[in-house]
Coordinates of all heavy atoms in Angstrom, one line a residue:
S1 N 0.8 -1.2 0.0 CA 0.0 0.0 0.0 C 0.9 1.3 0.0 O 0.5 2.3 -0.6 CB -1.0 0.0 1.2 OG -0.3 0.3 2.4
D2 N 2.0 1.2 0.7 CA 2.9 2.4 0.6 C 3.4 2.6 -0.8 O 3.6 3.7 -1.3 CB 4.1 2.2 1.6 CG 3.7 2.3 3.0 OD1 2.6 2.9 3.3 OD2 4.4 1.8 3.9
Y3 N 3.7 1.4 -1.5 CA 4.2 1.5 -2.8 C 3.1 2.1 -3.7 O 3.4 2.9 -4.6 CB 4.5 0.1 -3.3 CG 5.0 0.0 -4.7 CD1 6.3 0.5 -5.1 CD2 4.2 -0.4 -5.7 CE1 6.7 0.4 -6.4 CE2 4.6 -0.4 -7.0 CZ 5.9 0.0 -7.4 OH 6.3 -0.1 -8.7
E4 N 1.8 1.7 -3.6 CA 0.8 2.3 -4.4 C 0.6 3.8 -4.1 O 0.3 4.5 -5.0 CB -0.5 1.5 -4.1 CG -0.5 0.1 -4.7 CD -1.8 -0.6 -4.3 OE1 -2.8 0.0 -3.8 OE2 -1.8 -1.8 -4.6
Q5 N 0.7 4.1 -2.8 CA 0.5 5.6 -2.5 C 1.7 6.4 -3.1 O 1.4 7.5 -3.6 CB 0.5 5.7 -0.9 CG 0.2 7.1 -0.5 CD 0.1 7.2 1.0 OE1 0.4 6.3 1.7 NE2 -0.3 8.4 1.5
L6 N 2.9 5.8 -3.1 CA 4.0 6.5 -3.7 C 3.8 6.7 -5.2 O 4.0 7.7 -5.8 CB 5.3 5.8 -3.4 CG 6.6 6.3 -4.1 CD1 6.9 7.7 -3.5 CD2 7.7 5.4 -3.9
G7 N 3.3 5.6 -5.8 CA 3.0 5.7 -7.3 C 1.9 6.7 -7.6 O 2.0 7.4 -8.5
Y8 N 0.9 6.7 -6.7 CA -0.2 7.7 -6.9 C 0.4 9.1 -6.8 O 0.1 10.0 -7.7 CB -1.3 7.5 -5.9 CG -2.3 8.6 -6.0 CD1 -3.3 8.6 -7.0 CD2 -2.3 9.6 -5.0 CE1 -4.2 9.6 -7.0 CE2 -3.3 10.6 -5.1 CZ -4.2 10.6 -6.1 OH -5.2 11.6 -6.1
N9 N 1.2 9.4 -5.8 CA 1.8 10.7 -5.7 C 2.7 11.1 -6.8 O 2.8 12.3 -7.2 CB 2.6 10.8 -4.4 CG 1.7 10.8 -3.1 OD1 0.5 11.2 -3.2 ND2 2.2 10.3 -2.0
L10 N 3.4 10.1 -7.4 CA 4.2 10.4 -8.6 C 3.4 10.7 -9.8 O 3.8 11.4 -10.7 CB 5.2 9.3 -8.8 CG 6.3 9.1 -7.7 CD1 7.1 7.9 -8.0 CD2 7.2 10.4 -7.7
R11 N 2.2 10.0 -9.9 CA 1.4 10.2 -11.1 C 0.6 11.5 -11.1 O 0.3 12.1 -12.1 CB 0.4 9.1 -11.2 CG 1.0 7.8 -11.7 CD 0.0 6.7 -12.0 NE -1.0 6.5 -10.9 CZ -0.8 5.6 -10.0 NH1 0.3 4.8 -10.0 NH2 -1.7 5.4 -9.1
V12 N 0.3 12.0 -9.9 CA -0.4 13.3 -9.8 C 0.5 14.4 -10.2 O 1.7 14.5 -9.8 CB -0.9 13.5 -8.3 CG1 -1.5 14.9 -8.1 CG2 -1.9 12.4 -7.9
N13 N 0.0 15.3 -11.0 CA 0.7 16.5 -11.5 C 0.8 17.6 -10.4 O -0.1 18.4 -10.4 CB 0.2 17.0 -12.8 CG 1.1 18.0 -13.4 OD1 2.2 18.2 -13.0 ND2 0.6 18.6 -14.5
L14 N 1.8 17.5 -9.5 CA 1.9 18.5 -8.5 C 2.5 19.8 -9.0 O 2.1 20.9 -8.5 CB 2.7 17.9 -7.3 CG 2.2 16.7 -6.6 CD1 3.2 16.2 -5.6 CD2 0.9 17.0 -6.0
F15 N 3.4 19.7 -9.9 CA 4.1 20.9 -10.5 C 3.5 21.1 -11.9 O 4.0 20.6 -12.8 CB 5.6 20.7 -10.5 CG 6.1 20.3 -9.1 CD1 6.5 19.0 -8.8 CD2 6.2 21.3 -8.1 CE1 7.0 18.7 -7.6 CE2 6.7 20.9 -6.9 CZ 7.1 19.6 -6.6
Q16 N 2.5 22.0 -11.9 CA 1.8 22.2 -13.2 C 2.5 23.2 -14.1 O 2.0 23.6 -15.1 CB 0.4 22.5 -12.9 CG -0.3 21.5 -12.2 CD -1.7 21.9 -11.7 OE1 -2.2 22.9 -12.1 NE2 -2.4 21.0 -11.0
G17 N 3.6 23.7 -13.7 CA 4.3 24.7 -14.5 C 3.8 26.1 -14.2 O 2.9 26.4 -13.4
G18 N 4.4 27.1 -14.9 CA 4.0 28.5 -14.7 C 2.8 28.9 -15.4 O 2.3 28.1 -16.2
P19 N 2.3 30.0 -15.2 CA 1.1 30.5 -15.9 C 1.4 30.7 -17.4 O 2.5 31.0 -17.8 CB 0.7 31.8 -15.2 CG 2.0 32.3 -14.6 CD 2.8 31.1 -14.2
L20 N 0.4 30.6 -18.2 CA 0.6 30.7 -19.7 C 0.9 32.2 -20.0 O 1.6 32.5 -21.0 CB -0.6 30.2 -20.4 CG -0.9 28.7 -20.3 CD1 -2.2 28.3 -21.0 CD2 0.3 27.9 -20.8
K21 N 0.3 33.1 -19.3 CA 0.5 34.5 -19.5 C 1.2 35.1 -18.3 O 0.6 35.1 -17.2 CB -0.8 35.2 -19.8 CG -0.7 36.7 -20.1 CD -2.0 37.3 -20.5 CE -1.8 38.8 -20.8 NZ -3.1 39.5 -21.0
S22 N 2.4 35.7 -18.4 CA 3.1 36.2 -17.3 C 2.6 37.6 -17.0 O 2.2 38.4 -17.9 CB 4.6 36.2 -17.5 OG 4.9 37.0 -18.6
R23 N 2.7 38.0 -15.8 CA 2.3 39.4 -15.4 C 3.5 40.0 -14.6 O 4.3 39.3 -14.0 CB 1.1 39.3 -14.5 CG -0.1 38.7 -15.2 CD -1.3 38.7 -14.3 NE -1.6 40.1 -14.0 CZ -2.7 40.5 -13.4 NH1 -3.6 39.6 -13.0 NH2 -3.0 41.8 -13.1
S24 N 3.6 41.3 -14.7 CA 4.6 42.0 -13.9 C 4.0 43.2 -13.3 O 3.0 43.8 -13.7 CB 5.8 42.4 -14.8 OG 5.4 43.4 -15.7
L25 N 4.6 43.6 -12.2 CA 4.1 44.8 -11.4 C 4.2 46.0 -12.3 O 3.3 46.9 -12.3 CB 4.9 44.9 -10.1 CG 4.5 46.1 -9.2 CD1 3.1 45.9 -8.8 CD2 5.4 46.2 -8.1
V26 N 5.3 46.1 -13.1 CA 5.5 47.3 -13.9 C 4.4 47.4 -15.0 O 3.8 48.5 -15.2 CB 6.9 47.3 -14.6 CG1 7.0 48.5 -15.6 CG2 8.0 47.4 -13.6
R27 N 4.1 46.3 -15.6 CA 3.1 46.3 -16.7 C 1.7 46.6 -16.1 O 0.8 47.2 -16.7 CB 3.0 45.0 -17.4 CG 4.3 44.7 -18.2 CD 4.0 45.1 -19.7 NE 5.2 44.9 -20.4 CZ 5.5 45.7 -21.4 NH1 4.8 46.7 -21.8 NH2 6.7 45.5 -22.1
D28 N 1.4 46.1 -14.9 CA 0.2 46.3 -14.2 C 0.0 47.7 -13.7 O -1.1 48.2 -13.5 CB -0.1 45.3 -13.1 CG -0.3 43.9 -13.6 OD1 -0.5 43.7 -14.8 OD2 -0.1 42.9 -12.8
S29 N 1.1 48.4 -13.4 CA 1.1 49.7 -12.7 C 0.9 50.8 -13.7 O 0.4 51.9 -13.3 CB 2.4 49.9 -11.9 OG 2.5 48.9 -11.0
Y30 N 1.3 50.6 -15.0 CA 1.3 51.7 -15.9 C 0.4 51.4 -17.1 O 0.1 50.2 -17.4 CB 2.7 52.0 -16.5 CG 3.7 52.5 -15.5 CD1 4.6 51.6 -14.9 CD2 3.7 53.8 -15.0 CE1 5.5 52.1 -13.9 CE2 4.6 54.2 -14.1 CZ 5.5 53.4 -13.5 OH 6.3 53.8 -12.6
T31 N -0.1 52.4 -17.7 CA -1.0 52.2 -18.9 C -0.1 51.9 -20.1 O 1.1 52.3 -20.1 CB -1.8 53.5 -19.1 OG1 -1.0 54.6 -19.3 CG2 -2.8 53.8 -18.0
P32 N -0.7 51.3 -21.2 CA 0.1 50.9 -22.3 C 0.8 52.1 -23.0 O 1.9 51.9 -23.6 CB -0.9 50.2 -23.2 CG -2.0 49.8 -22.3 CD -2.0 50.8 -21.2
D33 N 0.2 53.3 -23.0 CA 0.8 54.4 -23.7 C 2.2 54.8 -23.1 O 3.0 55.4 -23.8 CB -0.1 55.6 -23.7 CG -0.4 56.2 -22.3 OD1 -0.6 55.4 -21.4 OD2 -0.3 57.4 -22.2
V34 N 2.4 54.5 -21.8 CA 3.7 54.8 -21.2 C 4.8 54.0 -21.9 O 5.9 54.5 -22.3 CB 3.7 54.5 -19.7 CG1 5.1 54.6 -19.1 CG2 2.8 55.4 -19.0
F35 N 4.6 52.8 -22.3 CA 5.5 51.9 -22.9 C 5.7 52.3 -24.4 O 6.8 52.1 -24.9 CB 5.2 50.4 -22.8 CG 5.1 50.0 -21.3 CD1 3.9 49.8 -20.7 CD2 6.2 49.9 -20.6 CE1 3.8 49.4 -19.4 CE2 6.2 49.5 -19.3 CZ 5.0 49.3 -18.7
Q36 N 4.7 52.8 -25.0 CA 4.7 53.2 -26.4 C 5.5 54.4 -26.6 O 6.3 54.6 -27.6 CB 3.4 53.3 -27.0 CG 2.6 52.0 -27.1 CD 1.1 52.2 -27.5 OE1 0.7 53.3 -27.5 NE2 0.4 51.1 -27.7
K37 N 5.4 55.4 -25.6 CA 6.2 56.6 -25.7 C 7.6 56.5 -25.2 O 8.4 57.4 -25.5 CB 5.5 57.7 -24.8 CG 4.1 58.1 -25.3 CD 3.5 59.1 -24.3 CE 2.1 59.4 -24.7 NZ 1.4 60.3 -23.7
A38 N 8.0 55.4 -24.6 CA 9.3 55.3 -24.1 C 10.3 55.2 -25.2 O 10.1 54.5 -26.2 CB 9.4 54.0 -23.2
V39 N 11.4 55.9 -25.0 CA 12.5 55.9 -26.0 C 13.7 55.2 -25.3 O 14.1 55.6 -24.2 CB 12.9 57.4 -26.4 CG1 14.1 57.3 -27.3 CG2 11.7 58.0 -27.0
I40 N 14.2 54.2 -26.0 CA 15.4 53.5 -25.4 C 16.7 54.2 -25.9 O 16.9 54.3 -27.1 CB 15.4 52.0 -25.8 CG1 14.1 51.4 -25.3 CG2 16.6 51.3 -25.4 CD1 13.9 50.0 -25.8
D41 N 17.4 54.7 -25.0 CA 18.7 55.4 -25.3 C 19.8 54.6 -24.6 O 19.8 54.5 -23.4 CB 18.6 56.8 -24.7 CG 19.9 57.6 -25.1 OD1 20.7 57.1 -25.9 OD2 20.0 58.7 -24.6
P42 N 20.7 54.0 -25.4 CA 21.8 53.2 -24.8 C 22.7 54.0 -23.9 O 23.4 53.4 -23.1 CB 22.5 52.6 -26.0 CG 22.1 53.5 -27.2 CD 20.8 54.1 -26.9
R43 N 22.8 55.3 -24.1 CA 23.6 56.1 -23.2 C 23.0 56.5 -21.9 O 23.6 57.0 -21.0 CB 24.0 57.4 -24.0 CG 24.8 57.2 -25.2 CD 26.1 56.6 -24.9 NE 27.2 57.3 -25.5 CZ 28.5 56.8 -25.3 NH1 28.6 55.7 -24.6 NH2 29.5 57.3 -25.9
H44 N 21.7 56.3 -21.8 CA 21.0 56.7 -20.6 C 20.0 55.6 -20.2 O 18.9 55.5 -20.8 CB 20.2 58.0 -20.9 CG 19.6 58.6 -19.7 ND1 18.3 58.3 -19.4 CD2 20.0 59.5 -18.8 CE1 18.0 59.0 -18.3 NE2 19.0 59.7 -17.9
W45 N 20.3 54.8 -19.2 CA 19.4 53.8 -18.8 C 19.3 53.8 -17.3 O 20.2 54.2 -16.6 CB 20.0 52.4 -19.2 CG 21.4 52.3 -19.4 CD1 22.1 52.5 -20.6 CD2 22.4 52.1 -18.4 NE1 23.5 52.4 -20.3 CE2 23.7 52.1 -19.0 CE3 22.3 51.8 -17.0 CZ2 24.8 51.9 -18.3 CZ3 23.5 51.6 -16.3 CH2 24.7 51.7 -17.0
H46 N 18.1 53.6 -16.9 CA 17.7 53.6 -15.5 C 18.0 54.9 -14.8 O 18.4 55.0 -13.7 CB 18.4 52.5 -14.7 CG 18.0 51.1 -15.1 ND1 16.7 50.6 -15.0 CD2 18.7 50.1 -15.8 CE1 16.7 49.4 -15.5 NE2 17.8 49.1 -16.0
G47 N 17.9 56.0 -15.6 CA 18.1 57.3 -15.0 C 19.6 57.7 -14.8 O 19.9 58.7 -14.2
R48 N 20.5 56.9 -15.4 CA 21.9 57.1 -15.2 C 22.6 57.3 -16.5 O 22.3 56.6 -17.4 CB 22.6 55.9 -14.4 CG 22.0 55.7 -13.1 CD 22.5 54.4 -12.5 NE 21.7 54.0 -11.4 CZ 22.2 53.9 -10.1 NH1 23.5 54.2 -9.9 NH2 21.5 53.6 -9.1
K49 N 23.5 58.2 -16.6 CA 24.3 58.4 -17.8 C 25.6 57.8 -17.6 O 26.1 57.7 -16.5 CB 24.4 59.9 -18.1 CG 23.1 60.5 -18.5 CD 23.3 61.9 -18.9 CE 22.0 62.6 -19.3 NZ 22.1 63.9 -19.8
I50 N 26.2 57.4 -18.7 CA 27.6 56.9 -18.6 C 28.5 58.0 -18.3 O 28.5 59.1 -18.9 CB 28.0 56.2 -20.0 CG1 27.1 55.0 -20.2 CG2 29.4 55.8 -20.0 CD1 27.4 54.3 -21.5
S51 N 29.3 57.8 -17.3 CA 30.2 58.8 -16.8 C 31.4 59.0 -17.7 O 31.6 58.2 -18.7 CB 30.7 58.4 -15.4 OG 31.5 57.3 -15.5
E52 N 32.2 60.0 -17.5 CA 33.4 60.3 -18.2 C 34.4 59.1 -18.1 O 35.1 58.8 -19.1 CB 34.0 61.6 -17.8 CG 33.2 62.8 -18.1 CD 33.0 63.0 -19.6 OE1 33.9 62.7 -20.4 OE2 31.9 63.3 -20.0
L53 N 34.4 58.5 -16.9 CA 35.3 57.4 -16.7 C 34.9 56.2 -17.6 O 35.7 55.6 -18.2 CB 35.3 57.0 -15.3 CG 36.3 55.9 -14.9 CD1 37.7 56.3 -15.2 CD2 36.1 55.5 -13.4
G54 N 33.6 56.0 -17.7 CA 33.1 54.9 -18.6 C 33.4 55.2 -20.0 O 33.8 54.3 -20.8
R55 N 33.3 56.4 -20.5 CA 33.6 56.8 -21.9 C 35.1 56.6 -22.1 O 35.5 56.2 -23.2 CB 33.2 58.2 -22.2 CG 31.7 58.4 -22.3 CD 31.4 59.7 -22.9 NE 30.0 59.9 -22.8 CZ 29.3 60.6 -21.9 NH1 30.0 61.3 -21.0 NH2 28.0 60.7 -21.9
W56 N 36.0 57.0 -21.1 CA 37.4 56.8 -21.2 C 37.7 55.3 -21.4 O 38.6 55.0 -22.3 CB 38.1 57.4 -20.0 CG 39.6 57.3 -20.1 CD1 40.4 58.2 -20.7 CD2 40.4 56.2 -19.7 NE1 41.7 57.8 -20.6 CE2 41.8 56.5 -20.0 CE3 40.2 55.0 -19.0 CZ2 42.8 55.7 -19.7 CZ3 41.2 54.2 -18.8 CH2 42.5 54.5 -19.1
Y57 N 37.1 54.5 -20.6 CA 37.4 53.0 -20.7 C 36.9 52.5 -22.1 O 37.6 51.7 -22.7 CB 36.7 52.2 -19.6 CG 37.5 52.1 -18.4 CD1 37.3 52.9 -17.2 CD2 38.6 51.3 -18.4 CE1 38.1 52.8 -16.1 CE2 39.4 51.2 -17.2 CZ 39.2 51.9 -16.1 OH 40.0 51.8 -15.0
E58 N 35.8 53.0 -22.6 CA 35.3 52.6 -23.9 C 36.4 52.9 -25.0 O 36.8 52.1 -25.8 CB 34.0 53.3 -24.3 CG 32.8 52.7 -23.6 CD 31.5 53.4 -24.0 OE1 31.6 54.4 -24.8 OE2 30.5 53.1 -23.5
K59 N 36.9 54.1 -24.9 CA 37.9 54.6 -25.9 C 39.2 53.8 -25.7 O 39.9 53.4 -26.7 CB 38.2 56.1 -25.8 CG 37.0 56.9 -26.2 CD 37.3 58.4 -26.0 CE 36.1 59.2 -26.3 NZ 36.2 60.6 -26.0
Y60 N 39.6 53.5 -24.4 CA 40.8 52.8 -24.1 C 40.8 51.4 -24.7 O 41.7 51.0 -25.4 CB 41.0 52.8 -22.6 CG 42.1 51.9 -22.1 CD1 43.5 52.4 -22.3 CD2 41.9 50.7 -21.5 CE1 44.5 51.6 -21.9 CE2 42.9 50.0 -21.1 CZ 44.3 50.4 -21.2 OH 45.3 49.6 -20.8
F61 N 39.7 50.7 -24.5 CA 39.6 49.3 -24.9 C 39.5 49.3 -26.5 O 40.0 48.3 -27.1 CB 38.5 48.5 -24.2 CG 38.9 48.1 -22.8 CD1 38.3 48.7 -21.8 CD2 39.9 47.2 -22.6 CE1 38.6 48.4 -20.5 CE2 40.2 46.8 -21.3 CZ 39.6 47.4 -20.3
L62 N 38.8 50.2 -27.0 CA 38.7 50.3 -28.5 C 40.1 50.5 -29.1 O 40.5 49.8 -30.0 CB 37.8 51.4 -28.9 CG 37.6 51.6 -30.4 CD1 36.9 50.4 -31.0 CD2 36.8 52.9 -30.7
D63 N 40.9 51.4 -28.5 CA 42.3 51.6 -28.9 C 43.1 50.4 -28.8 O 43.9 50.0 -29.7 CB 42.9 52.8 -28.1 CG 44.2 53.1 -28.6 OD1 44.4 53.4 -29.9 OD2 45.2 53.2 -27.8
R64 N 43.0 49.7 -27.7 CA 43.7 48.4 -27.4 C 43.4 47.4 -28.5 O 44.3 46.7 -29.0 CB 43.5 47.9 -26.0 CG 44.2 48.7 -25.0 CD 44.3 48.1 -23.7 NE 45.0 46.8 -23.9 CZ 45.3 46.0 -22.8 NH1 45.0 46.4 -21.6 NH2 45.8 44.8 -23.0
N65 N 42.1 47.3 -28.8 CA 41.7 46.3 -29.8 C 42.2 46.6 -31.2 O 42.6 45.7 -31.9 CB 40.2 46.2 -29.8 CG 39.6 45.5 -28.6 OD1 40.3 44.8 -27.9 ND2 38.3 45.7 -28.3
V66 N 42.2 47.9 -31.5 CA 42.8 48.3 -32.8 C 44.3 48.0 -32.8 O 44.8 47.5 -33.8 CB 42.5 49.8 -33.0 CG1 43.3 50.3 -34.2 CG2 41.0 50.0 -33.3
Q67 N 45.0 48.3 -31.7 CA 46.4 48.1 -31.7 C 46.7 46.6 -31.8 O 47.6 46.1 -32.5 CB 47.0 48.6 -30.4 CG 47.2 50.1 -30.3 CD 47.8 50.5 -29.0 OE1 48.1 49.7 -28.1 NE2 47.9 51.9 -28.9
K68 N 45.9 45.8 -31.2 CA 46.1 44.3 -31.2 C 45.8 43.8 -32.6 O 46.6 43.0 -33.1 CB 45.1 43.6 -30.2 CG 45.3 42.2 -30.1 CD 44.3 41.6 -29.1 CE 44.3 40.1 -29.0 NZ 43.3 39.6 -28.1
A69 N 44.8 44.3 -33.3 CA 44.5 43.9 -34.7 C 45.6 44.3 -35.6 O 46.0 43.6 -36.5 CB 43.2 44.5 -35.1
M70 N 46.2 45.5 -35.4 CA 47.3 46.0 -36.3 C 48.5 45.2 -36.1 O 49.2 44.8 -37.0 CB 47.6 47.5 -36.0 CG 46.5 48.4 -36.3 SD 46.3 48.7 -38.0 CE 47.6 49.8 -38.3
K71 N 48.8 44.8 -34.8 CA 49.9 44.0 -34.5 C 49.8 42.6 -35.1 O 50.8 42.0 -35.7 CB 50.1 43.9 -33.0 CG 51.4 43.2 -32.6 CD 51.5 43.2 -31.1 CE 52.9 42.6 -30.7 NZ 53.0 42.6 -29.2
E72 N 48.6 42.0 -35.1 CA 48.4 40.7 -35.7 C 48.5 40.7 -37.2 O 49.0 39.8 -37.8 CB 47.0 40.1 -35.3 CG 46.9 39.7 -33.9 CD 45.5 39.2 -33.5 OE1 44.6 39.3 -34.4 OE2 45.3 38.8 -32.3
K73 N 48.0 41.8 -37.8 CA 48.1 41.9 -39.3 C 49.4 42.3 -39.8 O 49.9 41.7 -40.8 CB 47.0 43.0 -39.7 CG 46.8 43.0 -41.2 CD 45.7 43.9 -41.6 CE 45.5 43.8 -43.1 NZ 44.3 44.5 -43.6
Y74 N 50.1 43.2 -39.2 CA 51.4 43.8 -39.7 C 52.6 43.3 -38.9 O 53.7 43.6 -39.4 CB 51.3 45.3 -39.8 CG 50.2 45.8 -40.8 CD1 49.1 46.4 -40.3 CD2 50.3 45.5 -42.1 CE1 48.1 46.9 -41.1 CE2 49.3 46.0 -43.0 CZ 48.3 46.6 -42.5 OH 47.3 47.1 -43.3
G75 N 52.4 42.7 -37.8 CA 53.5 42.2 -37.0 C 54.2 43.2 -36.1 O 54.0 44.1 -35.7

């Protein structure tokens, strides 16, 4: 009987998966026009702008990659 009870518990679908339509607090809190008017700017996300130090690092690594490519190509 313990074996049958274990089999029954394994056959029952206890974990039915997530909901077919997901919901989020942000989507429920704002009207759809807020999302349509939103402009995605890669330089300005979450109210923060990339600092001068971040721009310096971007230029620095770009320069290093160019130098590395030049060295591989021309020796």
Side-chain angles (χ1 to χ4, degrees):
S1 73
D2 288 339
Y3 179 77
E4 289 178 9
Q5 188 177 5
L6 177 65
Y8 173 76
N9 289 334
L10 291 175
R11 286 191 306 271
V12 173
N13 189 5
L14 297 176
F15 305 105
Q16 299 173 5
L20 296 176
K21 184 178 179 184
S22 63
R23 299 182 62 171
S24 71
L25 182 62
V26 174
R27 292 262 177 215
D28 291 343
S29 300
Y30 296 101
T31 56
D33 65 316
V34 171
F35 299 106
Q36 292 169 355
K37 292 178 185 176
V39 177
I40 298 173
D41 184 7
R43 296 295 227 183
H44 186 270
W45 27 266
H46 298 293
R48 299 171 193 243
K49 293 186 178 182
I50 294 179
S51 66
E52 292 299 320
L53 183 62
R55 286 193 189 99
W56 182 88
Y57 272 106
E58 283 179 1
K59 292 176 185 175
Y60 173 72
F61 284 111
L62 180 65
D63 183 53
R64 286 195 56 175
N65 290 339
V66 169
Q67 286 179 0
K68 184 178 176 183
M70 294 287 281
K71 188 174 182 181
E72 288 177 359
K73 186 171 185 177
Y74 297 111

